[in-house]
Amino acid sequence: MQDTFATDHSSIVLEGEIDSDFRMVDVTPRQLSKKQKAAVIVRLLLGHGVSLGVSKLPAEDQNTLAHTIAALGNIDKATLAKVVQEFTGQIDNLALSFPRDLSETVELLEPYLAPGALGKLRAAAERSDTSDPWGRISRQPVERLRPLLASESAEVCSVLLSKLGVAKAAELLGELPADRSDILAHSMALTETITPDLVDRIGVHLAGVLDSAPINAFEKAAAERVGAILNATPQEARDRMLEGLQARDEPFAAEVRKSIFAFPHIPTRVEPADVPLIMRKVDGETAVTALAAGKSAAPLTVEFLLENMSKRLAEQMRDDAEARSAPKPEEGEAAMAEVIAAIRELEADSEISLLPPGE
């Protein structure tokens, strides 16, 4: 096995620098520590354009690796061949690798874990992972990061936004009031002279804040969950429940109203250009029933849909809707709900995007 490697693989790894009989040269390989051997392999693979994910290592390990590589100097052929042989031998003997820590284990098992167990394991993984706070922070959903922008100073928030991915930072910044977002955007100018040590300390602080915050049992906010239920509730009952919420808790009722998307909301939430795609997804008879029911329940929606279809189809559907007798309330509600379901499905498949709800 070793002879095969020496005559075949070494010439590939070293691009011809070592010939097949280098073992006959009277050179004693240097004795290297495990860290030095690892540095040799990293240097060799980087030289051949292999991406090793060094940036994922803890900052302390990255620092150690850099200093070790800098101190190695030149490596003779015999030493390099010995290190490569040891490395490939270890790979040959490796039958199964396991995750390095609880975070990687949770990522591996995530599709197979119950939601309750998954939430607890994620929390435990976050508490146990102290090596890379910014990596942990950047993996958090927007919902968990949003409170930080309200509770932390502008300087800390500017560092947070700078360390996040562009899309996530833009989403967080776009949700803020104009005066707050302006302050944070301007505060980023102050990060030009910030030291890496201070950035690390801010990361540790923010990770601690996230660790101390309770993890919600539900992925969606209460207003969104109530809104989703009311979306599937007949309009008369929905209006009655909203009136009750309004009397008991006006701010919460306002949030629930924002999360509701029913047939009357189509003109304000749907792009006109998306109407043909939506109507193609709805069965023809169902669409006619929805339009017939909507003539009295949501006339603006009916006109919006008809105006944004092809002229020929709009005339046909208008005639069909006007020709049929008024559908029973439950039949009309079901048809209008199917139109909404089609819109939600297209949105989930990223085929269309809904406009944000009005205030």
Side-chain angles (χ1 to χ4, degrees):
M1 179 70 178
Q2 291 182 350
D3 289 341
T4 301
F5 173 79
T7 56
D8 296 333
H9 294 282
S10 60
S11 61
I12 296 174
V13 173
L14 301 178
E15 296 183 345
E17 293 181 42
I18 298 179
D19 56 26
S20 60
D21 61 350
F22 73 89
R23 288 169 284 106
M24 298 176 61
V25 180
D26 188 17
V27 177
T28 303
R30 288 170 54 182
Q31 295 298 315
L32 302 179
S33 66
K34 290 184 178 180
K35 290 182 180 179
Q36 289 174 320
K37 291 177 182 178
V40 169
I41 294 298
V42 169
R43 172 66 182 87
L44 184 63
L45 293 177
L46 290 177
H48 284 73
V50 179
S51 177
L52 300 175
V54 173
S55 61
K56 295 181 180 180
L57 292 174
E60 182 179 349
D61 290 347
Q62 294 183 43
N63 183 64
T64 300
L65 175 62
H67 282 284
T68 304
I69 291 177
L72 273 173
N74 295 326
I75 297 295
D76 57 75
K77 294 180 178 180
T79 302
L80 180 56
K82 181 180 178 182
V83 172
V84 172
Q85 284 178 335
E86 288 183 12
F87 177 68
T88 54
Q90 290 177 355
I91 292 178
D92 288 340
N93 290 326
L94 182 63
L96 184 64
S97 62
F98 283 80
R100 294 175 300 177
D101 52 32
L102 185 57
S103 295
E104 290 189 0
T105 302
V106 173
E107 186 176 348
L108 175 68
L109 298 177
E110 181 175 352
Y112 314 103
L113 295 173
L118 180 60
K120 291 180 180 179
L121 285 169
R122 278 178 175 165
E126 289 180 7
R127 289 193 297 269
S128 64
D129 182 8
T130 59
S131 59
D132 182 15
W134 283 115
R136 294 166 53 203
I137 293 168
S138 63
R139 290 191 295 270
Q140 299 300 315
V142 169
E143 291 72 22
R144 293 204 72 199
L145 296 174
R146 188 180 293 120
L148 295 177
L149 296 185
S151 62
E152 298 294 329
S153 68
E155 292 76 14
V156 168
C157 291
S158 64
V159 173
L160 169 62
L161 292 171
S162 299
K163 292 291 287 185
L164 295 176
V166 172
K168 187 172 288 187
E171 183 176 356
L172 285 167
L173 200 60
E175 294 176 349
L176 295 174
D179 56 345
R180 179 65 171 170
S181 61
D182 290 346
I183 291 173
L184 295 189
H186 182 261
S187 296
M188 286 190 179
L190 304 177
T191 62
E192 290 290 336
T193 57
I194 194 171
T195 63
D197 179 63
L198 181 55
V199 171
D200 289 341
R201 284 159 52 195
I202 291 174
V204 171
H205 163 70
L206 293 179
V209 173
L210 290 172
D211 289 345
S212 63
I215 296 179
N216 295 329
F218 301 100
E219 292 185 2
K220 294 184 177 180
E224 290 183 78
R225 286 181 274 124
V226 174
I229 294 171
L230 293 183
N231 275 333
T233 304
Q235 185 172 346
E236 184 178 348
R238 178 169 62 243
D239 293 342
R240 185 176 64 253
M241 283 185 274
L242 283 172
E243 289 177 5
L245 278 177
Q246 184 78 15
R248 290 179 175 84
D249 190 337
E250 187 173 341
F252 181 66
E255 292 301 314
V256 171
R257 289 182 186 277
K258 289 181 182 180
S259 66
I260 291 176
F261 176 47
F263 198 74
H265 302 128
I266 288 177
T268 58
R269 300 292 308 279
V270 171
E271 294 279 6
D274 292 332
V275 169
L277 179 60
I278 293 168
M279 300 310 291
R280 283 198 296 270
K281 197 170 183 64
V282 180
D283 174 73
E285 182 62 27
T286 300
V288 170
T289 303
L291 293 175
K295 285 189 299 181
S296 58
L300 292 179
T301 298
V302 172
E303 290 305 315
F304 173 80
L305 293 174
L306 292 173
E307 287 174 4
N308 291 289
M309 299 180 197
S310 68
K311 185 176 180 180
R312 178 181 174 185
L313 179 60
E315 289 177 353
Q316 179 183 339
M317 296 196 76
R318 187 189 296 275
D319 291 343
D320 290 345
E322 290 178 350
R324 67 164 296 168
S325 57
K328 295 178 180 179
E330 60 272 17
E331 185 183 1
E333 289 279 356
M336 290 187 287
E338 285 198 38
V339 176
I340 294 297
I343 294 172
R344 287 296 195 188
E345 187 175 342
L346 289 168
E347 181 194 25
D349 293 339
S350 299
E351 294 187 51
I352 65 171
S353 296
L354 294 179
L355 299 171
E359 295 296 332

